[in-house]
Amino acid sequence: MQVAYLGLGAMGRPMAANLARDWPTTVWNRTPAVAEAHHEAHGSVVALSLEELPPVDVVCSCLPTDVEVAAVARVVGPTLAPGTVWVDHTSGDPSGSREVARLLATHDVAYLDAPVSGGTAGAAAGTLTVMVGGDEEALDRVRPVLASVAANVVYVGPAGAGMAVKAVNNALLATSLWAAAEGMVALTAAGVDPDAALEVIGSSTGRSFATQTLLPERVVTRAFPQSFALPLLAKDVGLAGRVLADGGVEGRVLRLVEQLTAAAAEELGDADHVELVKLVERAAGVEIAPRR
Ligand code: NDP
């Protein structure tokens, strides 16, 4: 199958690299130098403009939100052959993604909302989890392509369902990260060694991705690598708020997490999402660092 990949950000670059190993892959990026570097490193073919995409069977996209996807789809949609499948790995608004699906359907292009989980490490390893909403028959056609980027592909329901699951997942990530930061700052202030506390929690009922991976690998080490920008997490928590509202769920916990995360993104700008832990540390005057 011929593949096009649109959007070579932190996720798109490694995903498109894995695709280029298995399929003839054309890449496009808003900043063309990124696509040219991708060609040099991974042998992908560069499209300098959206109008220049060759005929393809599958279009993959990974852009900040459904708004950018809609803008790109308005340009690319009319150029695609009927029967093309568009696999959108963006984490976007379920209702916005349904609009993109309707727009592409007018060109007989099937749109799947297919956001991913697993971070940049999972993208590099080709072991992402993909949650897919839309037409299941279209999904079956592109499963071989998804196998190049994912270890786990789960069909979750009609158009927009993948986006909804992703938003709720990331709201849970934000909630557990804030809670873990507060708990670990308090334990450090109480004189507990953070490594020892995280070892206990890691094999106990309070564990989460935050306590098992993010805090031990990125906070205690003070590494704070840039992998997933805080404004993108804030966007996802906001989207989850809408999913809850649509379902008639008041969401008092989530509303608080949404406010905290939005305020942190305002204060820290494009910092990595794990840096929100520093705000909790600063407020308490305690760093989650090993005892010397
Ligand atoms: P990045 O910020 O690293 O990359 C964003 C990409 O979108 C770049 O290719 C950028 O191009 C492009 N872009 C930005 N604005 C526009 C625009 N107006 N028109 C066209 N292209 C545009 O984001 P990530 O790769 O981290 O995230 C992409 C999506 O994946 C987001 O929805 C995010 O929530 C989701 N996600 C991210 C994860 C992560 O760990 N990073 C994990 C799972 C999901 P340019 O190079 O020109 O700036």
Side-chain angles (χ1 to χ4, degrees):
M1 275 189 276
Q2 297 277 340
V3 179
Y5 202 102
L6 315 179
L8 301 174
M11 293 299 284
R13 280 192 306 277
M15 290 177 78
N18 285 330
L19 286 167
R21 259 199 292 276
D22 296 343
W23 311 94
T25 300
T26 301
V27 294
W28 170 85
N29 193 64
R30 179 181 63 171
T31 306
V34 178
E36 275 154 9
H38 200 272
H39 159 72
E40 295 293 328
H42 308 292
S44 46
V45 175
V46 176
L48 287 175
S49 75
L50 288 170
E51 290 82 0
E52 267 181 38
L53 286 182
V56 292
D57 305 290
V58 185
V59 176
C60 303
S61 49
C62 195
L63 300 173
T65 74
D66 50 285
V67 175
E68 291 81 16
V69 177
V72 165
R74 277 193 287 274
V75 179
V76 176
T79 70
L80 297 174
T84 308
V85 181
W86 188 306
V87 183
D88 185 14
H89 295 302
T90 305
S91 305
D93 181 2
S95 65
S97 75
R98 282 190 287 269
E99 272 175 38
V100 177
R102 277 191 287 274
L103 166 81
L104 290 171
T106 63
H107 305 293
D108 286 326
V109 171
Y111 169 92
L112 299 169
D113 50 300
V116 296
S117 183
T120 50
T127 56
L128 293 167
T129 291
V130 189
M131 51 218 93
V132 185
D135 177 23
E136 209 169 355
E137 187 270 327
L139 169 60
D140 287 339
R141 274 190 278 149
V142 298
R143 277 186 189 275
V145 170
L146 287 173
S148 299
V149 297
N152 199 14
V153 177
V154 184
Y155 180 74
V156 293
M163 298 298 190
V165 173
K166 176 66 188 178
V168 169
N169 176 75
N170 276 22
L172 297 177
L173 163 67
T175 305
S176 54
L177 185 54
W178 280 110
E182 292 180 355
M184 287 301 300
V185 166
L187 289 174
T188 310
V192 178
D193 180 57
D195 284 324
L198 287 168
E199 187 183 340
V200 172
I201 295 166
S203 59
S204 302
T205 48
R207 68 182 178 271
S208 63
F209 182 67
T211 60
Q212 288 190 296
T213 301
L214 298 179
L215 269 73
E217 293 179 8
R218 304 186 186 190
V219 175
V220 176
T221 57
R222 312 312 289 174
F224 291 99
Q226 184 76 32
S227 72
F228 178 40
L230 184 53
L232 291 176
L233 179 62
K235 166 210 61 169
D236 292 337
V237 183
L239 293 174
R242 279 189 242 165
V243 174
L244 265 67
D246 288 349
V249 178
E250 196 186 349
R252 281 184 285 174
V253 172
L254 190 62
R255 257 208 315 269
L256 183 56
V257 172
E258 184 179 349
Q259 284 164 12
L260 289 170
T261 313
E266 183 83 10
E267 185 170 344
L268 299 175
D270 255 344
D272 186 72
H273 67 300
V274 179
E275 296 213 21
L276 66 79
V277 173
K278 290 183 181 169
L279 297 179
V280 181
E281 291 180 328
R282 245 181 261 156
V286 175
E287 255 187 23
I288 306 170
R291 272 196 312 229
R292 297 186 203 287

